[in-house]
C-alpha cells in the first residue's frame, strides 16, 4: 500500500520498512533511508495542501517536546507536525519545568518515562544529551539539536529542499559559509549531503573551523577560507549564523570585520552558478552573515526550508512513532 493511501485509510497504518527507533544523528543513515524520508515528506506535502491539514495517523500517541534552548522553527514545526498527525504534543521547556528547581535532565527524562510518552523531541546545549536520554526512556528520542554536535532533522529538511528544487543531490557543489566550529547544522549537513553524493565546501575564518580540519578535512569536504573562491560555481550557497552564545573570547575581531570578509552579498552570490540556491537554517542575522537583499532575494529558499521542515518532521514522526505498536 502506498504511503498516500495509508494516510487516507485509517486505522490501517503500516509505515514503510524503517529500522531507526531513535533519530540522533545522520551518521547511521544510508541513501535508501534518506529517500524513504523524501517520499514520505512528499506525501505529507500533499496533506499540507488540503483544506483540513490533519490525518488520524498518530491518534492516541503522545509526543513530548523537551527544549532546553530557545527555538522557533524546530519547536513549532514539531508541534504542528505532531498535531497534523493527530498526536498529542506536550511542550516542556527548561524555564517552565522543574529544571528551574534543580531537577536534572535524567530526573526529567525519568518523569517523562513514568508518564508514558511515545516520543521525546529534545534540544539541549550539551552535545550527547539525546544519547543520554535513550538510556532512560522506552520512548523514541529525536535529536532537535544538541550543542555543537548534530541537528539531523535540519539536515534532512535541507537535503529535501535541494532535492525538491533541483531534482538531484549527486554531484552538486554545496558551499557552507560561516561559523562552522559551533554549527551542529554544518556537521549534520556535511554528513547528509556527502551521503547523497554532493561535494561540500566549507568557508569561514580559520578560528571558526573545527581544529585540524584545514589540514585533514572530513571525507568529501574541501576547506576554502577564500570566500570568492569557495562560492565559485556553487549550486547551493548556505550562510550560517555567528553563534555568539557559543563563542569563546577572541575567536573573532568583531562582527563588522566578519561581515566584510564573509557576508553573503549579491556580488559574492554572482560568482556562484546562475540561479544558485541561497539557504540558511535560521535564525538569520541579516546584515551580519547575509545581506537583506540576498536573504529575501529570488534565489533564497529560506522560507521554503521552513515550510519543508514541517513536511519532513511529519514524515519523521510518521516513520519513527507510527511504526511502533
Ligand atoms: N534552524 C533551527 O534550528 O532554528 P530554531 O533554532 O529556530 O529551531
Amino acid at each position: 500500500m502506498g504511503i498516500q493511501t495509508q494516510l487516507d485509510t485509517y486505522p490501517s497504518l503500516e509505515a514503510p520498512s524503517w529500522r531507526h527507533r531513535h533519530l540522533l544523528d545522520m551518521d547511521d543513515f544510508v541513501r535508501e533511508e534518506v529517500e524513504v524520508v523524501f517520499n514520505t515528506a512528499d506525501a505529507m506535502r500533499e496533506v499540507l495542501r488540503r483544506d483540513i491539514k490533519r490525518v488520524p495517523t498518530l491518534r492516541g500517541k503522545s509526543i513530548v517536546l523537551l527544549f532546553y534552548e530557545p527555538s522557533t522553527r524546530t519547536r513549532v514545526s514539531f508541534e504542528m507536525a505532531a498535531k497534523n498527525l493527530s498526536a498529542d504534543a506536550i511542550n516542556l521547556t527548561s524555564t517552565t519545568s522543574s529544571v528551574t528547581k534543580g531537577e536534572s535532565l535524567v530526573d526529567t527524562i525519568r518523569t517523562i518515562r513514568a508518564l508514558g510518552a511515545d516520543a521525546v523531541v529534545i534540544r539541549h546545549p550539551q552535545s550527547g544529551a539525546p544519547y543520554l536520554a535513550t538510556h532512560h526512556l522506552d520512548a523514541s528520542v529525536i535529536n532537535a539539536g544538541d550543542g555543537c554536535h548534530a541537528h539531523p532533522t535540519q539536515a534532512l529538511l535541507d537535503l529535501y529542499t535541494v532535492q525538491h528544487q533541483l531534482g538531484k543531490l549527486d554531484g552538486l557543489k554545496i558551499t557552507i559559509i560561516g561559523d562552522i566550529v559551533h554549527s551542529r547544522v554544518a556537521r549534520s549537513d556535511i554528513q547528509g549531503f556527502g551521503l547523497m553524493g554532493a561535494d561540500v565546501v566549507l568557508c569561514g575564518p580559520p578560528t571558526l573551523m573545527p581544529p585540524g580540519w584545514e589540514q585533514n578535512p572530513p571525507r568529501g569536504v574541501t576547506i576554502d577560507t577564500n570566500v570568492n573562491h569557495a562560492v565559485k560555481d556553487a549550486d547551493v550557497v548556505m550562510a550560517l549564523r555567528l553563534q555568539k552564545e557559543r563563542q569563546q573570547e577572541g575567536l573573532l575581531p568583531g562582527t563588522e570585520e566578519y561581515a566584510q570578509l564573509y557576508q553573503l552579498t549579491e556580488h559574492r552570490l554572482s560568482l556562484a552558478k546562475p540561479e544558485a540556491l541561497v539557504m540558511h537554517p535560521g535564525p538569520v542575522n541579516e546584515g551580519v552573515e547575509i545581506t537583506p537583499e540576498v536573504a529575501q532575494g529570488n534565489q533564497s529558499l529560506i522560507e521554503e526550508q521552513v515550510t519543508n521542515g514541517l513536511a519532513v518532521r511529519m514524515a519523521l514522526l510518521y516513520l519513527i512513532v507510527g511504526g511502533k505498536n
Side-chain angles (χ1 to χ4, degrees):
M1 191 186 287
I3 292 163
Q4 193 53 58
T5 317
Q6 290 170 38
L7 291 172
D8 286 337
T9 317
Y10 181 79
S12 164
L13 172 68
E14 284 177 43
S17 162
W18 185 257
R19 71 185 168 98
H20 296 277
R21 179 168 162 225
H22 307 294
L23 174 52
L24 301 172
D25 197 353
M26 290 300 298
D27 60 0
D28 62 348
F29 265 74
V30 296
R31 281 177 85 116
E32 292 72 23
E33 290 167 338
V34 174
E35 282 155 12
V36 169
V37 175
F38 288 175
N39 292 337
T40 313
D42 283 343
M44 297 303 172
R45 275 175 69 102
E46 197 284 318
V47 170
L48 293 170
R49 280 194 291 269
R50 297 179 192 171
D51 279 348
I52 297 171
K53 303 170 181 40
R54 186 164 286 207
V55 287
T57 314
L58 297 186
R59 186 184 286 164
K61 303 283 187 182
S62 302
I63 295 165
V64 173
L65 310 177
L66 181 58
F67 277 64
Y68 285 77
E69 272 188 353
S71 167
T72 306
R73 287 150 211 75
T74 313
R75 198 197 59 72
V76 174
S77 62
F78 263 117
E79 182 171 351
M80 287 180 71
K83 289 179 175 171
N84 288 348
L85 296 170
S86 300
D88 293 316
I90 298 99
N91 274 293
L92 201 53
T93 64
S94 50
T95 49
T96 56
S97 71
S98 290
V99 169
T100 56
K101 301 175 195 164
E103 183 174 80
S104 71
L105 172 63
V106 171
D107 286 342
T108 304
I109 295 286
R110 286 195 187 120
T111 305
I112 293 170
R113 182 180 63 191
L115 292 170
D118 294 288
V120 178
V121 178
I122 178 168
R123 169 170 292 191
H124 199 280
Q126 292 295 326
S127 298
Y131 293 80
L132 177 68
T134 63
H135 296 300
H136 300 278
L137 276 170
D138 305 320
S140 292
V141 175
I142 298 177
N143 183 358
D146 63 325
C148 303
H149 171 241
H151 195 348
T153 68
Q154 179 71 42
L156 286 163
L157 78 87
D158 288 343
L159 299 180
Y160 180 74
T161 301
V162 177
Q163 171 73 34
H164 199 258
Q165 203 68 22
L166 300 180
K168 65 169 191 173
L169 293 165
D170 212 13
L172 296 182
K173 176 176 175 179
I174 315 283
T175 299
I176 303 177
I177 307 172
D179 182 357
I180 308 292
V181 71
H182 297 109
S183 179
R184 54 198 177 204
V185 176
R187 281 186 179 73
S188 291
D189 273 351
I190 289 166
Q191 288 176 337
F193 281 113
L195 176 68
M196 302 308 282
D199 299 314
V200 178
V201 177
L202 302 178
C203 178
T207 49
L208 296 183
M209 284 291 165
W213 279 23
E214 275 191 272
Q215 299 74 31
N216 189 18
R219 198 149 63 93
V221 171
T222 306
I223 311 283
D224 193 338
T225 53
N226 178 319
V227 70
N228 289 349
H229 192 249
V231 297
K232 191 168 172 349
D233 296 328
D235 297 280
V236 176
V237 184
M238 181 183 295
L240 298 176
R241 181 175 70 89
L242 275 183
Q243 300 200 25
K244 290 184 192 150
E245 70 275 25
R246 296 190 222 277
Q247 301 281 353
Q248 295 147 25
E249 293 285 316
L251 287 181
L252 274 180
T255 49
E256 278 174 26
E257 288 84 349
Y258 176 83
Q260 217 168 23
L261 288 170
Y262 294 101
Q263 184 182 66
L264 184 54
T265 61
E266 285 179 315
H267 169 67
R268 287 175 179 147
L269 181 60
S270 73
L271 303 173
K273 282 200 178 137
E275 315 294 322
L277 308 179
V278 171
M279 299 178 76
H280 192 307
V284 179
N285 289 156
E286 286 184 3
V288 181
E289 68 268 11
I290 189 167
T291 64
E293 294 73 27
V294 174
Q296 295 161 34
N298 58 13
Q299 288 169 255
S300 173
L301 288 182
I302 296 173
E303 284 187 19
E304 186 80 7
Q305 286 173 270
V306 177
T307 306
N308 287 337
L310 177 55
V312 168
R313 289 178 175 125
M314 283 172 71
L316 291 167
L317 291 180
Y318 171 73
L319 292 166
I320 294 168
V321 184
K324 295 199 301 188
N325 295 320

